[in-house]
Amino acid sequence: MHLVEQTEGLAIDFDAIVAMVNLDMVGRLAGELLVFGEGSGDRWAELLADANAPLGLNVRHAGLGVGMSDHTAFYLQRIPVLHFFTGIHDDYHRPSDTADRVNAPGGALIVQLVDRLVHRLARQSDRLTFTGEVDPHAGAALHGPGRDDVQGLGQARLGIMPDYATMEGDRGAGVAGVMPGSPAEAAGLEPGDRIRRWNEHRVPDVRALTRRLRDAEPGETVRLRVDRDGERLTVEVTLGRR
């Protein structure tokens, strides 16, 4: 965010920025590599496929390019972005996230993929064309003070780690983790849940949940409809204060 806001002071020609490639949490490759932002540039799919051809990584494309990481600031300025991500885990932002838990060979493969991709990006004669859709409220909604919680400009706190693969779409807001001692834990939410409704309002994805939480008040009791392992249940959660 600071770089985007201070390009003039930092003597950076903003118009010369072709794309932003973000590696955030890529140390736990286990099966698939999530890549956000393919829809933000007109040739990302082609460049990614070409770069990955000799590596054979299991790449899953997820979302246009707005998420809880550094690439969002560039996306909101209509710059094509990619975010490479291996998923939320229980050690996120905890002392238990020790070096022995890193999948070093997997991380090396991801670095090779990004290296090949960036070299192709640098050699192409035509710039990528931005093809995303900018929601003017997205930056404020997603860049709240705490990245370990779905929260926005308001003061209410739920206490989940979102499943970034459900940032956009129509599969519900996925719960990747539940913070100890949080309102979400007290209400019985569990990792793997999909939040589908907030009171009478549909929740198609994490962004929709963020907007609901942004407008809520601490102490408010909310009825959430949740899908869990093929079952549908309703829980009531009393929101906390962040």
Side-chain angles (χ1 to χ4, degrees):
M1 182 68 74
H2 178 77
L3 176 63
V4 170
E5 294 176 346
Q6 303 296 327
T7 51
E8 184 174 346
L10 296 171
I12 296 172
D13 181 1
F14 191 83
D15 292 333
I17 300 176
V18 174
M20 194 281 192
V21 178
N22 180 26
L23 286 83
D24 186 356
M25 293 184 64
V26 293
R28 301 271 192 113
L29 184 64
E32 64 181 12
L33 172 65
L34 296 175
V35 180
F36 296 90
E38 183 185 311
S40 69
D42 62 340
R43 292 192 305 282
W44 273 140
E46 173 189 339
L47 289 166
L48 268 170
D50 185 41
N52 189 40
L55 302 175
L57 282 164
N58 180 13
V59 174
R60 178 152 70 92
H61 306 287
L64 281 176
V66 177
M68 296 180 184
S69 192
D70 301 310
H71 61 286
T72 293
F74 292 82
Y75 180 91
L76 295 176
Q77 296 300 318
R78 307 185 67 80
I79 292 176
V81 300
L82 285 183
H83 172 204
F84 293 85
F85 180 64
T86 55
I88 283 289
H89 50 75
D90 292 340
D91 303 307
Y92 181 64
H93 282 189
R94 296 181 181 177
S96 56
D97 192 11
T98 52
D100 59 291
R101 299 176 184 270
V102 172
N103 177 356
L109 279 173
I110 295 170
V111 170
Q112 289 181 56
L113 173 63
V114 173
D115 179 71
R116 291 172 57 84
L117 174 74
V118 171
H119 274 85
R120 281 157 177 72
L121 186 64
R123 290 198 302 267
Q124 64 180 7
S125 58
D126 297 327
R127 290 174 62 108
L128 285 172
T129 298
F130 181 81
T131 53
E133 299 176 0
V134 174
D135 177 352
H137 302 294
L142 293 172
H143 282 279
R147 290 177 55 199
D148 59 349
D149 194 4
V150 177
Q151 55 190 333
L153 295 179
Q155 295 297 313
R157 178 172 184 262
L158 178 58
I160 69 168
M161 291 186 292
D163 178 355
Y164 293 155
T166 62
M167 187 64 66
E168 299 170 326
D170 195 23
R171 294 177 293 161
V175 178
V178 177
M179 306 304 292
S182 67
E185 183 184 57
L189 288 176
E190 299 178 0
D193 286 349
R194 292 287 179 95
I195 300 173
R196 292 287 193 170
R197 297 192 77 87
W198 173 291
N199 291 332
E200 71 275 16
H201 304 287
R202 287 184 67 251
V203 178
D205 52 28
V206 168
R207 291 176 63 183
L209 178 63
T210 300
R211 289 191 289 269
R212 292 295 167 196
L213 189 56
R214 179 188 60 203
D215 296 334
E217 297 292 335
E220 181 179 343
T221 297
V222 178
R223 188 174 63 259
L224 302 178
R225 201 199 80 194
V226 176
D227 288 350
R228 177 183 298 165
D229 296 329
E231 297 184 13
R232 182 170 298 175
L233 60 147
T234 300
V235 301
E236 288 193 349
V237 55
T238 300
L239 301 173
R241 181 181 297 274
R242 62 174 176 82

